[in-house]
Amino acid sequence: MITDFKNKTAVLTGAGSGFGLECARIGAKLGMNLVLADVQQDALDKTVAEMQAAGVPVLAMRVDVSKADQMQAFAEAAFKRFGAPNFVFNNAGVGAGGLVWENSLKDWEWVLGVNVMGVVHGVHLFTPMMLVAAKADPAYQGHIVNTASMAGLLNAPNMGIYNVSKHAVVSLSETLYQDLALVTDQISASVLCPFFVPTGISQSQRNRPEELKADDKPTQSQMIGQAMSDKAVGSGKVTAAQVAQMVFDAIAANQFYIYSHPKAIGSVQTRMEDVMLARNPTDPFSHKPELGVELKKALRA
């Protein structure tokens, strides 16, 4: 149980928008030291200005989390300034849709680079620091939160590349939780699995690196995927700020799975039953058949 956040250090990737920004805002209210990274410099600058205005110590760096050397420099700067962090939010993420065979290898490299390797780098660099701090100080407590998605527990059609990346994050996080429990009682982990929440995720292309830009025009399925994602994310009723509060509540309660939309778990149960009964995957549109009909028609046109 972690109840005292004041003067503790939190590392947040993707701090320029969405959950990263909202978690930073809560961290500032709680009087924490903030170590912030984002790939988008202007968004990061705005976050930093806001945090400094709130009077909390801030270290910020423009970082592409998919790049090992940039993450290494970020981790070293964080350690030099504040020592081992108490909290690490591996939150940076990007989205991409389309039929799974239509994604280019550059699409795969970009999405897996950010969504999977970004989290891997955070775990790889900060966990050892935290373990050393825990050994040195019996009062030290730490917690790592990895942002996955309900797409890490489900496999909605026409968004395979994203599903694959988020399943990897869930798997990494569950294993991290178990591995930490083997070696320490002072550090734990959680996985955040949001459903559709209004953040910048559906506009991820804005931060896509030049060398991984798509060569071809988007396919029909990719345009449909983008439109569906814009609509679903944009119409979400639960806000990023509410989800950030859920994250801090979960850390305080040492709760592993964090869901923004607990009702969505019904679909996870159906999927798990498919697995256990070895039955073919259930139609994801069975609760709204007209959506499935519409998507099929659009893709077969």
Side-chain angles (χ1 to χ4, degrees), residues 29-250:
K29 275 202 193 89
L30 294 168
M32 300 175 76
N33 306 319
L34 300 176
V35 180
L36 310 175
D38 202 280
V39 74
Q40 194 178 330
Q41 188 70 56
D42 58 340
L44 182 61
D45 291 343
K46 276 178 77 169
T47 302
V48 170
E50 185 183 325
M51 298 309 131
Q52 285 173 334
V56 293
V58 180
L59 169 71
M61 276 174 77
R62 184 187 175 279
V63 177
D64 176 344
V65 296
S66 70
K67 303 275 192 282
D69 56 340
Q70 292 186 26
M71 279 296 280
Q72 177 83 42
F74 176 60
E76 284 169 6
F79 186 76
K80 197 172 160 191
R81 173 85 189 270
F82 295 116
N86 301 86
F87 305 99
V88 176
F89 298 83
N90 291 307
N91 168 70
V94 294
L99 296 167
V100 78
W101 58 88
E102 288 185 0
N103 290 119
S104 69
L105 293 180
K106 283 182 176 177
D107 292 338
W108 282 99
E109 199 181 328
W110 177 51
V111 176
L112 296 185
V114 177
N115 291 4
V116 182
M117 291 312 296
V119 178
V120 169
H121 292 146
V123 168
H124 170 72
L125 291 161
F126 289 106
T127 313
M129 279 182 203
M130 296 167 81
L131 287 166
V132 169
K135 264 215 164 80
D137 176 8
Y140 171 91
Q141 287 180 297
H143 204 97
I144 298 167
V145 181
N146 296 330
T147 300
S149 165
M150 286 308 288
L153 299 166
L154 295 167
N155 290 300
N158 208 41
M159 48 189 286
I161 197 165
Y162 187 70
N163 296 340
V164 168
S165 73
K166 293 303 188 178
H167 273 260
V169 175
V170 170
S171 173
L172 171 62
S173 305
E174 288 178 352
T175 312
L176 174 66
Y177 177 89
Q178 303 285 13
D179 286 357
L180 283 169
L182 291 175
V183 299
T184 182
D185 298 326
Q186 291 167 255
I187 307 166
S188 194
S190 296
V191 66
L192 171 61
C193 294
F195 205 41
F196 297 115
V197 177
T199 65
I201 187 83
S202 65
Q203 304 305 319
S204 310
Q205 295 287 344
R206 70 188 189 277
N207 292 322
R208 187 162 170 162
E210 216 38 61
E211 70 274 15
L212 295 179
K213 286 262 161 55
D215 298 324
D216 309 311
K217 286 213 289 282
T219 64
Q220 171 80 342
S221 77
Q222 287 166 342
M223 291 191 292
I224 290 169
Q226 180 68 49
M228 286 173 73
S229 149
D230 287 347
K231 186 178 171 189
V233 169
S235 61
K237 299 282 182 283
V238 178
T239 66
Q242 287 170 309
V243 176
Q245 189 55 57
M246 292 172 194
V247 170
F248 275 85
D249 293 345

